[in-house]
Amino acid sequence: MGVPSLGCHCRVCRSQDPHDNRTRPSVLVSREDHHVVIDTTPDFRFQALRQGLESLDAIVFTHGHADHILGFDDIRPFNLRQKSAVPIYASKETLAILRRTFAYVFDGKPALSTIPEVTPHEIEGPFELLGTPWKPIPAEHGDMPVLGFRVGGLAYLTDFSRIPEASMPLLASTEELVLDALRDAPHPMHQTVEQALELVTRLRPRRAWFTHIAHDLPHRETNERLMRLGFPHVQLAYDGLSFEVAA
């Protein structure tokens, strides 16, 4: 839902620390002058403006929940600037949700105004973007199948409660691991901080970043707690975070 949460007056929602001001999770993967976005959140337009994004080579979707797709219509300026459709990559289930939610994009009917122009690609296995293999990582978000992605040294896993054992080899030798850690209290569709730390202990990445963070976790205090627990290489992610990984 983003932080601050609407109508909430908790100390995190009232925090003056800019790290506690969190838009919905999305990632920009860039190589030279080419750019791929993972998920078009309701905050996509603001996020793209903040990062100075002027071109878009493709969009990759993790799943079809509202907080990961509702910025989809805001890709239109890239269609106009680039004079071409934007390739989108998603599972069969997520493509079905996109087609239902944004029927006007896919129904083929004449439009009096601009609509997003896209070329859909169903993810059935590894694919290539930015000259680099992208490996889908099947996971479970409650009872919903979702995808994470392995791109070189990066593994990105937002919105999940369980990773099947068959997906674990895809997470070996990770440089930068970005993973769901909603809060401390249990949730049926997300990992807790404790569960995320158990996964970090097993996978042993060089660094790990917790994402999809609720307003239960103050940024500075949580990072200090992670240090005390013996995880100096684990921190909460924050808006504007950037790092480089091997392709």
Side-chain angles (χ1 to χ4, degrees), residues 19-33:
H19 296 96
D20 285 323
N21 195 325
R22 302 163 184 153
T23 56
R24 271 62 70 95
S26 180
V27 173
L28 174 64
V29 182
S30 300
R31 188 174 189 183
E32 297 175 349
D33 292 325

Side-chain angles (χ1 to χ4, degrees), residues 160-161 179-199 210-211 217 225:
F160 75 95
S161 52
L179 70 163
D180 184 330
L182 182 72
R183 62 191 190 193
D184 289 313
H187 190 285
M189 301 184 73
H190 293 274
Q191 282 204 130
T192 63
V193 170
E194 181 180 4
Q195 290 168 329
L197 288 174
E198 290 173 359
L199 192 56
F210 291 169
T211 190
L217 301 178
R225 171 159 59 108

Side-chain angles (χ1 to χ4, degrees), residues 36 70 77 89 132 144 151 157 164 179 211 219 222 242:
V36 174
L70 286 187
Y89 294 78
T132 301
M144 182 184 200
V151 186
L157 289 150
L179 70 163
T211 190
H219 184 86
T222 304
S242 65

Side-chain angles (χ1 to χ4, degrees), residues 82-230:
Q82 297 166 192
K83 296 181 172 57
S84 63
V86 174
I88 63 171
Y89 294 78
S91 67
K92 179 180 179 180
E93 295 84 359
T94 300
L95 284 174
I97 293 171
L98 288 167
R99 288 189 171 103
R100 184 170 66 248
T101 307
F102 300 95
Y104 63 94
V105 176
F106 300 96
D107 61 15
K109 295 179 181 178
L112 297 177
S113 186
T114 57
I115 61 173
E117 296 178 43
V118 297
T119 306
H121 299 270
E122 182 180 332
I123 297 175
E124 298 180 293
F127 54 99
E128 186 172 302
L129 288 171
L130 306 177
T132 301
W134 287 55
K135 299 175 183 178
I137 305 169
E140 298 170 8
H141 185 28
D143 59 0
M144 182 184 200
V146 297
L147 293 177
F149 297 98
R150 179 68 185 263
V151 186
L154 167 69
Y156 181 70
L157 289 150
T158 185
D159 286 51
F160 75 95
S161 52
R162 193 180 82 86
I163 299 177
E165 197 60 35
S167 295
M168 288 298 181
L170 295 167
L171 297 168
S173 304
T174 304
E175 293 178 35
E176 305 281 354
L177 175 63
V178 183
L179 70 163
D180 184 330
L182 182 72
R183 62 191 190 193
D184 289 313
H187 190 285
M189 301 184 73
H190 293 274
Q191 282 204 130
T192 63
V193 170
E194 181 180 4
Q195 290 168 329
L197 288 174
E198 290 173 359
L199 192 56
V200 168
T201 299
R202 176 176 177 179
L203 295 174
R204 302 177 65 182
R206 184 173 67 87
R207 287 195 302 190
W209 304 93
F210 291 169
T211 190
H212 210 291
I213 309 157
H215 61 166
D216 306 61
L217 301 178
H219 184 86
R220 181 179 58 82
E221 290 180 24
T222 304
N223 283 343
E224 290 173 353
R225 171 159 59 108
L226 292 170
M227 289 281 289
R228 291 195 303 271
L229 290 171

